Amino acid sequence: MTLINNFWKGKKVLITGHTGFKGSWLSLYLHNLGAIIIGCSLPPTSKQPLFDQLNLKDRLNHNIVDISNIKSINGLINDCNPDIIFHLAAQSLVRDSYVNPLTTWNTNVLGSLNLLESIKNFQHSCVVLVITTDKVYENKNWAFGYRENDSLGGDDPYSASKAALEIAVASWRKSFCGSKPYQNPNLFIATCRAGNVIGGGDWGEDRIIPDIISSLKLNKNIKIRNKSAIRPWQHVLEPLSGYIKLAKKIYESKDLNRKLRLCSSFNFGPNLESNKTVLDLVNEVLKHWEGNWEDISNENDFYEAQILKLNVEKSYDQLEWVPSWSFSEAVSKTTLWYKDDFQGILTPYELCMKDIESFENNPRKIY
């Protein structure tokens, strides 16, 4: 399948965290659109093997760089001079943030500022999308979807660090981006907040879909900790399509004020009917792969919010972005990816490209 797109063809795109789950999907997608991908990440691990399974090392400029090391990230940035940056590198697990809070804060906030410092004096146009999370909002466990101008906060170290990053990026943007004498008119920075992402190839520890699939493969009961928690479930291609569309829209805009207005925060979440409980997710998976579940909830476990929804009206109004797949479609695509991989029907690369082609053939185009 050829997806070569005139806008992306030849664009130098830096992706931090390119060896992770979302980074691997984004790298594969943009590579097939014709972009020149420069990856920056810690080494891929056995716990997240998708990068190696897709043979991405041979498809892009692969660099092992720790964003916490400003000298290293600065050197890479100056060598590649990217047109567009997708910053995904992060410590992304809530439960791990309780175990390693200082690492979480250092990576998610200071590492991100190292990246922004490295591009502060760029002399050519560069669009930067900093990827945060839907958990940046001060969660009030209400039934309404959070809007981009709602209060930020976080009870756990991961959520709090990402909320702090949103504040830091907003401050950085106001301080150093623009047309005033002390600002750089070449830099355009936005943040993206995505819902709970699912999709084939995620093997991360302490994540619901990998836990479900691991149990099914071993014919064991699926263990559920927080079955009534409501989350905005969406296939990984949905927010990635939003990131791609936002970056292109900022880059292509000829009016500086218009570009700067787009440099703000954007939610990318599913349709309202895709806000489902953890148990709904498990039962939907079991429609495609037979198995059983058991409740192992523990009131003394780490705190997790019970309700989290996103309002995506801003992305629709300003980007004409809308989610494409329903909850059942997203879960079906995800489950069958793992099932076909387990049965050896297709390779991980073929499975990812199959999903990308299916997503691309929807009436809504992402670019």
Side-chain angles (χ1 to χ4, degrees):
M1 179 182 65
T2 301
L3 294 178
I4 297 298
N5 174 267
N6 287 336
F7 172 80
W8 290 102
K9 185 176 182 180
K11 284 287 189 305
K12 289 188 291 184
V13 177
L14 173 67
I15 301 176
T16 73
H18 72 296
T19 60
F21 168 58
K22 286 176 71 175
S24 294
W25 273 94
L26 181 60
S27 297
L28 179 64
Y29 209 148
L30 287 172
H31 169 75
N32 278 277
L33 290 178
I36 300 170
I37 308 297
I38 303 100
C40 162
S41 183
L42 295 176
T45 68
S46 59
K47 298 175 183 176
Q48 281 289 26
L50 184 61
F51 178 84
D52 288 330
Q53 291 176 327
L54 298 179
N55 197 28
L56 286 172
K57 187 176 181 180
D58 295 332
R59 303 178 193 276
L60 49 80
N61 182 347
H62 172 58
N63 299 274
I64 301 301
V65 174
D66 185 349
I67 61 170
S68 297
N69 186 324
I70 190 169
K71 183 177 180 181
S72 297
I73 187 65
N74 187 63
L76 177 62
I77 290 286
N78 288 327
D79 285 343
C80 67
N81 286 310
D83 301 305
I84 295 172
I85 299 174
F86 295 94
H87 175 46
L88 283 73
Q91 193 302 96
S92 59
L93 298 176
V94 171
R95 293 172 69 85
D96 193 53
S97 75
Y98 281 105
V99 179
N100 299 296
L102 293 183
T103 299
T104 299
W105 277 87
N106 185 57
T107 299
N108 292 352
V109 180
L110 295 180
S112 300
L113 294 181
N114 285 341
L115 173 68
L116 296 182
E117 174 67 19
S118 297
I119 63 172
K120 192 169 66 176
N121 297 315
F122 261 21
Q123 297 302 304
H124 70 277
S125 182
C126 182
V127 174
V128 185
L129 297 194
V130 177
I131 312 305
T132 60
T133 175
D134 55 358
K135 297 175 179 64
V136 298
Y137 295 104
E138 181 184 359
N139 195 296
K140 300 176 182 179
N141 284 309
W142 60 21
F144 310 106
Y146 291 97
R147 298 175 184 270
E148 288 84 350
N149 58 356
D150 280 329
S151 299
L152 302 178
D155 292 327
D156 60 87
Y158 167 72
S159 301
S161 70
K162 285 293 195 173
L165 176 57
E166 287 276 357
I167 295 171
V169 171
S171 170
W172 196 278
R173 185 169 53 225
K174 292 175 183 176
S175 299
F176 305 116
C177 302
S179 56
K180 295 179 181 178
Y182 56 87
Q183 296 174 328
N184 188 339
N186 299 306
L187 296 182
F188 306 95
I189 308 172
T191 61
C192 302
R193 306 164 183 174
N196 281 52
V197 171
I198 62 175
D202 184 6
W203 296 108
E205 271 190 311
D206 215 20
R207 287 173 57 80
I208 182 66
I209 286 293
D211 288 350
I212 291 172
I213 299 301
S214 294
S215 297
L216 291 174
K217 289 172 67 175
L218 296 172
N219 291 316
K220 292 184 176 181
N221 284 351
I222 300 165
K223 300 185 188 313
I224 306 178
R225 284 193 303 267
N226 199 3
K227 66 180 182 181
S228 61
I230 296 173
R231 296 290 184 266
W233 309 105
Q234 62 183 158
H235 192 276
V236 62
L237 289 173
E238 300 279 17
L240 296 187
S241 73
Y243 306 163
I244 290 171
K245 192 159 195 175
L246 175 58
K248 179 176 181 287
K249 199 170 189 71
I250 296 174
Y251 195 96
E252 282 190 320
S253 179
K254 304 301 182 183
D255 180 74
L256 178 60
N257 290 328
R258 169 64 174 158
K259 291 167 86 82
L260 293 174
R261 282 196 297 272
L262 287 169
C263 291
S264 58
S265 57
F266 284 85
N267 286 340
F268 297 102
N271 292 313
L272 288 176
E273 60 268 22
S274 293
N275 293 295
K276 301 284 189 178
T277 67
V278 170
L279 183 55
D280 288 333
L281 176 71
V282 172
N283 285 331
E284 193 68 31
V285 170
L286 295 181
K287 292 179 181 178
H288 306 282
W289 196 329
E290 185 176 352
N292 298 289
W293 61 270
E294 62 179 287
D295 190 350
I296 61 165
S297 299
N298 181 352
E299 63 181 15
N300 295 318
D301 207 350
F302 296 128
Y303 171 78
E304 292 188 60
Q306 285 300 301
I307 303 175
L308 178 55
K309 300 179 181 180
L310 291 179
N311 182 302
V312 297
E313 289 179 5
K314 180 180 176 182
S315 293
Y316 174 77
D317 290 338
Q318 297 192 24
L319 306 177
E320 298 181 340
W321 177 89
V322 291
S324 180
W325 285 338
S326 66
F327 173 73
S328 59
E329 287 174 310
V331 177
S332 171
K333 297 286 186 185
T334 298
T335 308
L336 294 178
W337 191 107
Y338 287 103
K339 195 171 185 179
D340 288 348
D341 175 58
F342 181 57
Q343 295 175 347
I345 295 175
L346 295 172
T347 67
Y349 177 83
E350 291 169 333
L351 289 167
C352 286
M353 291 305 299
K354 178 183 176 183
D355 283 349
I356 289 173
E357 183 173 12
S358 176
F359 189 82
E360 168 65 13
N361 285 336
N362 271 271
R364 176 182 59 80
K365 297 293 185 181
I366 70 167
Y367 41 78

mmCIF file of all heavy atoms in Angstrom, residues 134 143-146 195-196 228-234 269-278 280-281 307-312 326-327:
data_model
loop_
_atom_site.group_PDB
_atom_site.id
_atom_site.type_symbol
_atom_site.label_atom_id
_atom_site.label_comp_id
_atom_site.label_asym_id
_atom_site.label_seq_id
_atom_site.Cartn_x
_atom_site.Cartn_y
_atom_site.Cartn_z
ATOM 1 N N ASP A 134 -4.910 12.641 28.626
ATOM 2 C CA ASP A 134 -6.225 13.057 29.101
ATOM 3 C C ASP A 134 -6.256 13.209 30.623
ATOM 4 O O ASP A 134 -7.180 13.794 31.188
ATOM 5 C CB ASP A 134 -7.303 12.059 28.660
ATOM 6 C CG ASP A 134 -7.016 10.625 29.088
ATOM 7 O OD1 ASP A 134 -5.958 10.370 29.691
ATOM 8 O OD2 ASP A 134 -7.852 9.742 28.805
ATOM 9 N N ALA A 143 -19.697 13.598 35.068
ATOM 10 C CA ALA A 143 -20.119 12.915 33.845
ATOM 11 C C ALA A 143 -19.809 13.702 32.578
ATOM 12 O O ALA A 143 -20.014 13.203 31.480
ATOM 13 C CB ALA A 143 -21.617 12.626 33.912
ATOM 14 N N PHE A 144 -19.309 14.926 32.724
ATOM 15 C CA PHE A 144 -19.055 15.784 31.564
ATOM 16 C C PHE A 144 -17.655 15.538 31.001
ATOM 17 O O PHE A 144 -16.726 15.201 31.728
ATOM 18 C CB PHE A 144 -19.193 17.259 31.960
ATOM 19 C CG PHE A 144 -20.462 17.566 32.705
ATOM 20 C CD1 PHE A 144 -20.445 17.799 34.068
ATOM 21 C CD2 PHE A 144 -21.675 17.597 32.044
ATOM 22 C CE1 PHE A 144 -21.613 18.073 34.763
ATOM 23 C CE2 PHE A 144 -22.856 17.862 32.727
ATOM 24 C CZ PHE A 144 -22.826 18.099 34.085
ATOM 25 N N GLY A 145 -17.524 15.753 29.689
ATOM 26 C CA GLY A 145 -16.207 15.660 29.073
ATOM 27 C C GLY A 145 -15.384 16.907 29.386
ATOM 28 O O GLY A 145 -15.901 18.027 29.301
ATOM 29 N N TYR A 146 -14.124 16.720 29.736
ATOM 30 C CA TYR A 146 -13.263 17.869 30.047
ATOM 31 C C TYR A 146 -12.917 18.633 28.774
ATOM 32 O O TYR A 146 -12.608 18.050 27.740
ATOM 33 C CB TYR A 146 -11.979 17.401 30.740
ATOM 34 C CG TYR A 146 -12.240 16.871 32.131
ATOM 35 C CD1 TYR A 146 -12.383 15.502 32.356
ATOM 36 C CD2 TYR A 146 -12.390 17.739 33.213
ATOM 37 C CE1 TYR A 146 -12.649 15.017 33.624
ATOM 38 C CE2 TYR A 146 -12.654 17.258 34.479
ATOM 39 C CZ TYR A 146 -12.789 15.896 34.686
ATOM 40 O OH TYR A 146 -13.075 15.416 35.944
ATOM 41 N N GLY A 195 -7.234 10.365 24.625
ATOM 42 C CA GLY A 195 -7.945 9.445 25.495
ATOM 43 C C GLY A 195 -7.153 8.171 25.745
ATOM 44 O O GLY A 195 -5.973 8.065 25.369
ATOM 45 N N ASN A 196 -7.790 7.183 26.354
ATOM 46 C CA ASN A 196 -7.140 5.905 26.647
ATOM 47 C C ASN A 196 -6.956 5.118 25.359
ATOM 48 O O ASN A 196 -7.921 4.649 24.759
ATOM 49 C CB ASN A 196 -7.964 5.104 27.646
ATOM 50 C CG ASN A 196 -7.766 5.598 29.066
ATOM 51 O OD1 ASN A 196 -7.898 6.787 29.344
ATOM 52 N ND2 ASN A 196 -7.438 4.693 29.961
ATOM 53 N N SER A 228 -15.503 -0.765 37.245
ATOM 54 C CA SER A 228 -16.524 0.252 36.993
ATOM 55 C C SER A 228 -15.947 1.585 36.527
ATOM 56 O O SER A 228 -16.704 2.521 36.231
ATOM 57 C CB SER A 228 -17.365 0.476 38.254
ATOM 58 O OG SER A 228 -16.554 0.932 39.326
ATOM 59 N N ALA A 229 -14.622 1.687 36.438
ATOM 60 C CA ALA A 229 -13.998 2.934 35.994
ATOM 61 C C ALA A 229 -14.341 3.195 34.529
ATOM 62 O O ALA A 229 -14.250 2.306 33.686
ATOM 63 C CB ALA A 229 -12.489 2.872 36.176
ATOM 64 N N ILE A 230 -14.737 4.432 34.230
ATOM 65 C CA ILE A 230 -15.111 4.819 32.866
ATOM 66 C C ILE A 230 -13.966 5.568 32.215
ATOM 67 O O ILE A 230 -13.401 6.498 32.797
ATOM 68 C CB ILE A 230 -16.374 5.704 32.882
ATOM 69 C CG1 ILE A 230 -17.566 4.907 33.425
ATOM 70 C CG2 ILE A 230 -16.679 6.245 31.491
ATOM 71 C CD1 ILE A 230 -18.815 5.739 33.630
ATOM 72 N N ARG A 231 -13.623 5.173 30.993
ATOM 73 C CA ARG A 231 -12.516 5.792 30.270
ATOM 74 C C ARG A 231 -12.913 6.063 28.808
ATOM 75 O O ARG A 231 -13.764 5.356 28.251
ATOM 76 C CB ARG A 231 -11.273 4.879 30.280
ATOM 77 C CG ARG A 231 -10.679 4.640 31.668
ATOM 78 C CD ARG A 231 -10.034 5.910 32.195
ATOM 79 N NE ARG A 231 -9.380 5.695 33.487
ATOM 80 C CZ ARG A 231 -9.949 5.909 34.661
ATOM 81 N NH1 ARG A 231 -11.204 6.319 34.707
ATOM 82 N NH2 ARG A 231 -9.283 5.696 35.777
ATOM 83 N N PRO A 232 -12.269 7.058 28.174
ATOM 84 C CA PRO A 232 -12.540 7.349 26.751
ATOM 85 C C PRO A 232 -11.670 6.475 25.844
ATOM 86 O O PRO A 232 -10.624 6.887 25.355
ATOM 87 C CB PRO A 232 -12.165 8.840 26.630
ATOM 88 C CG PRO A 232 -11.091 9.035 27.671
ATOM 89 C CD PRO A 232 -11.394 8.091 28.784
ATOM 90 N N TRP A 233 -12.105 5.241 25.607
ATOM 91 C CA TRP A 233 -11.315 4.283 24.835
ATOM 92 C C TRP A 233 -11.289 4.675 23.353
ATOM 93 O O TRP A 233 -12.317 5.011 22.772
ATOM 94 C CB TRP A 233 -11.899 2.880 24.975
ATOM 95 C CG TRP A 233 -12.120 2.450 26.382
ATOM 96 C CD1 TRP A 233 -13.325 2.370 27.039
ATOM 97 C CD2 TRP A 233 -11.130 2.027 27.328
ATOM 98 N NE1 TRP A 233 -13.139 1.932 28.325
ATOM 99 C CE2 TRP A 233 -11.798 1.712 28.540
ATOM 100 C CE3 TRP A 233 -9.740 1.882 27.277
ATOM 101 C CZ2 TRP A 233 -11.138 1.260 29.681
ATOM 102 C CZ3 TRP A 233 -9.075 1.441 28.414
ATOM 103 C CH2 TRP A 233 -9.763 1.128 29.591
ATOM 104 N N GLN A 234 -10.106 4.583 22.738
ATOM 105 C CA GLN A 234 -9.995 4.865 21.300
ATOM 106 C C GLN A 234 -8.812 4.114 20.708
ATOM 107 O O GLN A 234 -7.806 3.847 21.394
ATOM 108 C CB GLN A 234 -9.832 6.362 21.049
ATOM 109 C CG GLN A 234 -8.590 6.971 21.655
ATOM 110 C CD GLN A 234 -8.481 8.463 21.461
ATOM 111 O OE1 GLN A 234 -7.785 9.152 22.185
ATOM 112 N NE2 GLN A 234 -9.152 8.995 20.462
ATOM 113 N N GLY A 269 -10.244 12.612 21.506
ATOM 114 C CA GLY A 269 -10.911 11.512 22.188
ATOM 115 C C GLY A 269 -11.982 10.890 21.313
ATOM 116 O O GLY A 269 -12.249 11.348 20.202
ATOM 117 N N PRO A 270 -12.643 9.855 21.809
ATOM 118 C CA PRO A 270 -13.643 9.138 21.014
ATOM 119 C C PRO A 270 -15.014 9.811 21.053
ATOM 120 O O PRO A 270 -15.221 10.806 21.757
ATOM 121 C CB PRO A 270 -13.689 7.779 21.721
ATOM 122 C CG PRO A 270 -13.462 8.135 23.164
ATOM 123 C CD PRO A 270 -12.451 9.261 23.144
ATOM 124 N N ASN A 271 -15.947 9.229 20.314
ATOM 125 C CA ASN A 271 -17.339 9.653 20.405
ATOM 126 C C ASN A 271 -17.865 9.350 21.812
ATOM 127 O O ASN A 271 -17.325 8.501 22.527
ATOM 128 C CB ASN A 271 -18.191 8.906 19.373
ATOM 129 C CG ASN A 271 -17.854 9.317 17.956
ATOM 130 O OD1 ASN A 271 -17.754 10.501 17.657
ATOM 131 N ND2 ASN A 271 -17.668 8.337 17.073
ATOM 132 N N LEU A 272 -18.937 10.041 22.194
ATOM 133 C CA LEU A 272 -19.472 9.898 23.550
ATOM 134 C C LEU A 272 -19.806 8.452 23.898
ATOM 135 O O LEU A 272 -19.579 8.004 25.026
ATOM 136 C CB LEU A 272 -20.719 10.771 23.711
ATOM 137 C CG LEU A 272 -20.495 12.280 23.783
ATOM 138 C CD1 LEU A 272 -21.834 13.004 23.847
ATOM 139 C CD2 LEU A 272 -19.632 12.634 24.990
ATOM 140 N N GLU A 273 -20.313 7.702 22.923
ATOM 141 C CA GLU A 273 -20.709 6.326 23.213
ATOM 142 C C GLU A 273 -19.516 5.395 23.450
ATOM 143 O O GLU A 273 -19.689 4.247 23.869
ATOM 144 C CB GLU A 273 -21.584 5.765 22.084
ATOM 145 C CG GLU A 273 -20.941 5.739 20.727
ATOM 146 C CD GLU A 273 -21.217 7.002 19.915
ATOM 147 O OE1 GLU A 273 -21.533 8.045 20.522
ATOM 148 O OE2 GLU A 273 -21.100 6.933 18.677
ATOM 149 N N SER A 274 -18.316 5.868 23.189
ATOM 150 C CA SER A 274 -17.118 5.062 23.439
ATOM 151 C C SER A 274 -16.558 5.267 24.840
ATOM 152 O O SER A 274 -15.540 4.682 25.196
ATOM 153 C CB SER A 274 -16.035 5.387 22.401
ATOM 154 O OG SER A 274 -16.427 4.959 21.116
ATOM 155 N N ASN A 275 -17.206 6.114 25.635
ATOM 156 C CA ASN A 275 -16.829 6.249 27.043
ATOM 157 C C ASN A 275 -17.453 5.079 27.798
ATOM 158 O O ASN A 275 -18.635 5.109 28.145
ATOM 159 C CB ASN A 275 -17.321 7.580 27.603
ATOM 160 C CG ASN A 275 -16.599 8.757 26.972
ATOM 161 O OD1 ASN A 275 -15.405 8.929 27.148
ATOM 162 N ND2 ASN A 275 -17.330 9.580 26.231
ATOM 163 N N LYS A 276 -16.663 4.053 28.023
ATOM 164 C CA LYS A 276 -17.164 2.794 28.580
ATOM 165 C C LYS A 276 -16.357 2.398 29.822
ATOM 166 O O LYS A 276 -15.250 2.880 30.053
ATOM 167 C CB LYS A 276 -17.041 1.675 27.539
ATOM 168 C CG LYS A 276 -17.792 1.916 26.237
ATOM 169 C CD LYS A 276 -19.278 1.701 26.401
ATOM 170 C CE LYS A 276 -19.994 1.720 25.053
ATOM 171 N NZ LYS A 276 -21.432 1.476 25.176
ATOM 172 N N THR A 277 -16.942 1.467 30.593
ATOM 173 C CA THR A 277 -16.242 0.968 31.774
ATOM 174 C C THR A 277 -15.172 -0.051 31.376
ATOM 175 O O THR A 277 -15.171 -0.580 30.253
ATOM 176 C CB THR A 277 -17.212 0.289 32.755
ATOM 177 O OG1 THR A 277 -17.722 -0.906 32.148
ATOM 178 C CG2 THR A 277 -18.346 1.222 33.135
ATOM 179 N N VAL A 278 -14.296 -0.325 32.323
ATOM 180 C CA VAL A 278 -13.283 -1.357 32.114
ATOM 181 C C VAL A 278 -13.956 -2.700 31.838
ATOM 182 O O VAL A 278 -13.519 -3.464 30.965
ATOM 183 C CB VAL A 278 -12.351 -1.451 33.337
ATOM 184 C CG1 VAL A 278 -11.447 -2.679 33.246
ATOM 185 C CG2 VAL A 278 -11.509 -0.191 33.464
ATOM 186 N N ASP A 280 -16.886 -3.174 30.467
ATOM 187 C CA ASP A 280 -17.401 -3.113 29.094
ATOM 188 C C ASP A 280 -16.300 -3.477 28.100
ATOM 189 O O ASP A 280 -16.536 -4.202 27.129
ATOM 190 C CB ASP A 280 -17.919 -1.712 28.773
ATOM 191 C CG ASP A 280 -19.211 -1.372 29.483
ATOM 192 O OD1 ASP A 280 -19.976 -2.299 29.790
ATOM 193 O OD2 ASP A 280 -19.435 -0.167 29.744
ATOM 194 N N LEU A 281 -15.103 -2.953 28.341
ATOM 195 C CA LEU A 281 -13.972 -3.231 27.455
ATOM 196 C C LEU A 281 -13.652 -4.726 27.447
ATOM 197 O O LEU A 281 -13.478 -5.336 26.389
ATOM 198 C CB LEU A 281 -12.751 -2.428 27.897
ATOM 199 C CG LEU A 281 -11.453 -2.690 27.113
ATOM 200 C CD1 LEU A 281 -11.554 -2.124 25.703
ATOM 201 C CD2 LEU A 281 -10.249 -2.091 27.836
ATOM 202 N N ILE A 307 -14.148 8.269 36.783
ATOM 203 C CA ILE A 307 -14.755 8.727 35.527
ATOM 204 C C ILE A 307 -13.814 9.695 34.825
ATOM 205 O O ILE A 307 -13.307 10.633 35.455
ATOM 206 C CB ILE A 307 -16.104 9.438 35.764
ATOM 207 C CG1 ILE A 307 -17.076 8.525 36.508
ATOM 208 C CG2 ILE A 307 -16.719 9.880 34.439
ATOM 209 C CD1 ILE A 307 -18.385 9.199 36.878
ATOM 210 N N LEU A 308 -13.574 9.471 33.549
ATOM 211 C CA LEU A 308 -12.750 10.377 32.755
ATOM 212 C C LEU A 308 -13.272 10.401 31.328
ATOM 213 O O LEU A 308 -13.300 9.377 30.646
ATOM 214 C CB LEU A 308 -11.282 9.936 32.775
ATOM 215 C CG LEU A 308 -10.300 10.760 31.944
ATOM 216 C CD1 LEU A 308 -10.365 12.237 32.331
ATOM 217 C CD2 LEU A 308 -8.879 10.251 32.103
ATOM 218 N N LYS A 309 -13.714 11.585 30.893
ATOM 219 C CA LYS A 309 -14.217 11.763 29.540
ATOM 220 C C LYS A 309 -13.607 13.032 28.944
ATOM 221 O O LYS A 309 -13.237 13.948 29.678
ATOM 222 C CB LYS A 309 -15.745 11.883 29.537
ATOM 223 C CG LYS A 309 -16.482 10.677 30.097
ATOM 224 C CD LYS A 309 -17.991 10.901 30.072
ATOM 225 C CE LYS A 309 -18.744 9.727 30.658
ATOM 226 N NZ LYS A 309 -20.222 9.953 30.634
ATOM 227 N N LEU A 310 -13.536 13.081 27.628
ATOM 228 C CA LEU A 310 -12.995 14.241 26.932
ATOM 229 C C LEU A 310 -14.043 14.866 26.018
ATOM 230 O O LEU A 310 -14.812 14.153 25.359
ATOM 231 C CB LEU A 310 -11.779 13.862 26.089
ATOM 232 C CG LEU A 310 -10.489 13.466 26.818
ATOM 233 C CD1 LEU A 310 -9.416 13.096 25.805
ATOM 234 C CD2 LEU A 310 -10.009 14.587 27.713
ATOM 235 N N ASN A 311 -14.032 16.172 25.940
ATOM 236 C CA ASN A 311 -14.832 16.913 24.967
ATOM 237 C C ASN A 311 -13.910 17.292 23.802
ATOM 238 O O ASN A 311 -12.858 17.897 24.014
ATOM 239 C CB ASN A 311 -15.410 18.177 25.628
ATOM 240 C CG ASN A 311 -16.305 18.969 24.691
ATOM 241 O OD1 ASN A 311 -15.875 19.394 23.628
ATOM 242 N ND2 ASN A 311 -17.537 19.187 25.095
ATOM 243 N N VAL A 312 -14.284 16.918 22.581
ATOM 244 C CA VAL A 312 -13.405 17.131 21.426
ATOM 245 C C VAL A 312 -13.980 18.171 20.449
ATOM 246 O O VAL A 312 -13.594 18.211 19.278
ATOM 247 C CB VAL A 312 -13.107 15.808 20.689
ATOM 248 C CG1 VAL A 312 -12.364 14.850 21.600
ATOM 249 C CG2 VAL A 312 -14.396 15.164 20.166
ATOM 250 N N SER A 326 -15.929 3.345 15.942
ATOM 251 C CA SER A 326 -16.737 3.207 17.149
ATOM 252 C C SER A 326 -15.963 2.396 18.194
ATOM 253 O O SER A 326 -14.909 1.804 17.906
ATOM 254 C CB SER A 326 -18.051 2.493 16.822
ATOM 255 O OG SER A 326 -17.794 1.147 16.431
ATOM 256 N N PHE A 327 -16.517 2.333 19.397
ATOM 257 C CA PHE A 327 -15.921 1.532 20.467
ATOM 258 C C PHE A 327 -15.779 0.081 20.033
ATOM 259 O O PHE A 327 -14.703 -0.529 20.182
ATOM 260 C CB PHE A 327 -16.782 1.642 21.722
ATOM 261 C CG PHE A 327 -16.369 0.727 22.843
ATOM 262 C CD1 PHE A 327 -15.229 0.982 23.581
ATOM 263 C CD2 PHE A 327 -17.145 -0.382 23.155
ATOM 264 C CE1 PHE A 327 -14.846 0.132 24.626
ATOM 265 C CE2 PHE A 327 -16.791 -1.226 24.194
ATOM 266 C CZ PHE A 327 -15.630 -0.965 24.933
#
